[in-house]
Amino acid sequence: MADYGYLQDHADAMLALLYADPDLTVYPPEGGGPTTVPAGTEPPYVSVHFAADRPLGGRLDHKSTRLRMRAYAHCVGANDIAARAVCDLVANAWLDVKPSVDGRNTYPIRSELSVPQANEVTGSTTVTITDTYRLESGPGSDGS
Amino acid sequence: MTSLDMSEVLAWARVLERAGDDVVDEGKKVVAKGSLNVKNEARQLAPRGPHIPSYASSIGYDVTTGAGWIEGEIGPVKGRRQWGLGNLLEYGSANNPPHPHHEPALDHEEPRFIAACEALAAELVTRHG
């Protein structure tokens, strides 16, 4: 498997947890590629984007060893009930789970926020709820 | 028979009570400063482009207080031009990546805000001690 660096490793680790649920349709799909939902895709599905920053690690040497990855899960359903059901599946896959990332000590994934998205497109047939999760990690895979 | 001298404990309780009386007025300044910092950084980090010329300047803050609480609220101010794009820009959508600008600003302010609260607590206790 290609090595795209540990930022991608964190994204892969989170996506793998979603792929493990056969009831979830996930974008980007397994195998990679951009997070673009093909035109005409029928809900329900979840489209995931990531944003990361690297704050200080809180150690005496003041190195920026920490990685904070926010995952934005856009849970799309044909109506509110379906969108909430997708949110539930995502929460079941992620919440409080410690994913495994080589060379990193990961902390449990935490939920930050759930934001229903206003959809003002005329004739829109989908409902989106955006849930934000946070995965943090530090150096070392043994808790050191 | 056992007796217990509570005088110093009661004196300490009075110090904390008097410090508590001042905490909303003084704490409001701390929350206002923290909110201002978050607002300024959120504006700096906000996405820009020809289609969103006014969005960044729609971000504002206000501070409200009540009996025993202080609240700072930072975000696009309803009614300012392009304020309604905040949700979409911050969190993205199924086909648009997010441009986080409020949450990172809040992350960066957090340690400074906690340090300022600790300093305020120490100052109020010293003032009334």
Side-chain angles (χ1 to χ4, degrees):
Chain A
M1 190 172 170
D3 179 7
Y4 294 108
Y6 78 86
L7 203 57
Q8 185 60 40
D9 290 344
H10 285 72
D12 285 341
M14 292 190 80
L15 288 169
L17 295 169
L18 299 182
Y19 297 146
D21 186 338
D23 291 330
L24 261 179
T25 302
V26 183
Y27 295 97
E30 221 166 344
T35 304
T36 304
V37 181
T41 299
E42 293 289 325
Y45 57 84
V46 59
S47 163
V48 186
H49 291 100
F50 296 96
D53 65 348
R54 295 176 169 85
L56 283 174
R59 300 205 175 187
L60 290 176
D61 58 8
H62 280 247
K63 297 274 190 184
S64 302
T65 52
R66 192 105 165 171
L67 181 82
R68 180 167 45 212
M69 174 83 95
R70 282 202 168 89
Y72 298 80
H74 306 286
C75 303
V76 182
N79 53 41
D80 296 274
I81 295 169
R84 282 194 285 270
V86 177
C87 291
D88 266 347
L89 293 176
V90 172
N92 290 341
W94 277 354
L95 198 56
D96 298 329
V97 173
K98 270 180 73 170
S100 177
V101 177
D102 274 355
R104 302 291 291 177
N105 175 35
T106 58
Y107 297 84
I109 298 170
R110 302 301 190 194
S111 166
E112 288 207 327
L113 202 60
S114 182
V115 183
Q117 297 283 4
N119 192 339
E120 292 165 355
V121 178
T122 305
S124 173
T125 56
T126 62
V127 171
T128 301
I129 301 172
T130 299
D131 284 355
T132 311
Y133 288 84
R134 184 182 73 248
L135 168 63
E136 295 195 31
S137 75
S141 55
D142 56 357
S144 61
Chain B
M1 187 173 160
T2 308
S3 67
L4 193 61
D5 179 2
M6 293 288 288
S7 59
E8 290 188 358
V9 174
L10 294 172
W12 175 239
R14 284 193 291 275
V15 169
L16 293 180
E17 270 180 28
R18 288 195 296 266
D21 291 340
D22 288 350
V23 81
V24 171
D25 284 344
E26 298 295 327
K28 187 176 178 183
K29 298 171 192 169
V30 173
V31 173
K33 176 64 176 161
S35 301
L36 175 68
N37 291 345
V38 173
K39 181 213 79 170
N40 287 341
E41 189 174 351
R43 282 189 176 193
Q44 283 176 359
L45 297 174
R48 293 165 194 279
H51 302 298
I52 44 174
S54 305
Y55 170 69
S57 56
S58 78
I59 298 169
Y61 77 96
D62 56 35
V63 177
T64 49
T65 59
W69 58 267
I70 310 162
E71 181 178 285
E73 183 174 352
I74 306 111
V77 178
K78 190 171 185 177
R80 291 188 186 173
R81 288 195 64 196
Q82 299 191 314
W83 74 275
L85 295 172
N87 200 351
L88 180 65
L89 294 171
E90 179 81 27
Y91 299 106
S93 71
N95 271 324
N96 295 289
H99 297 275
H101 47 291
H102 286 92
E103 287 186 344
L106 195 61
D107 288 338
H108 299 160
E109 183 61 20
E110 183 182 326
R112 293 192 292 261
F113 178 72
I114 290 171
C117 289
E118 288 171 347
L120 174 63
E123 186 200 321
L124 290 178
V125 167
T126 304
R127 184 190 298 174
H128 294 286

